[in-house]
Amino acid sequence: MNDSHPTWPDPVEIRLQSGLNRTFREAFDALYFLEEEWPTRHGAAYDRARRWCRLAIETDQAAEVARKAFIAAARQAGMLAGEPPGSADPAPTRSVA
């Protein structure tokens, strides 16, 4: 395991349910938040973020992918700071012909 936990070049800011913002600068903190404090622990983006953050803790080469996956999970959950609440992309719907 890599003990250095490289920081992300650009931090990720999310909006907590309390309305406060929290800044993440590395995969280690993001993974802890995903596993212990994330309000909705399901969905493809959430699972992908957990997987990539774990990998980024093991190898420095996955750090940027983990950051992007964490952003996608926050966006899907409507928690990405700087975006209006509820602006997450709606689930795709199938049209019936």
Side-chain angles (χ1 to χ4, degrees), residues 33-73:
F33 188 77
L34 285 162
E35 291 184 338
E36 301 297 329
E37 300 179 46
W38 200 258
T40 56
R41 295 181 183 151
H42 57 61
Y46 169 78
D47 292 337
R48 197 173 308 115
R50 284 182 47 224
R51 193 168 43 250
W52 279 106
C53 285
R54 272 195 206 104
L55 188 58
I57 291 169
E58 298 293 327
T59 174
D60 296 348
Q61 283 113 8
E64 185 57 26
V65 177
R67 180 183 171 278
K68 289 178 181 177
F70 186 64
I71 290 170

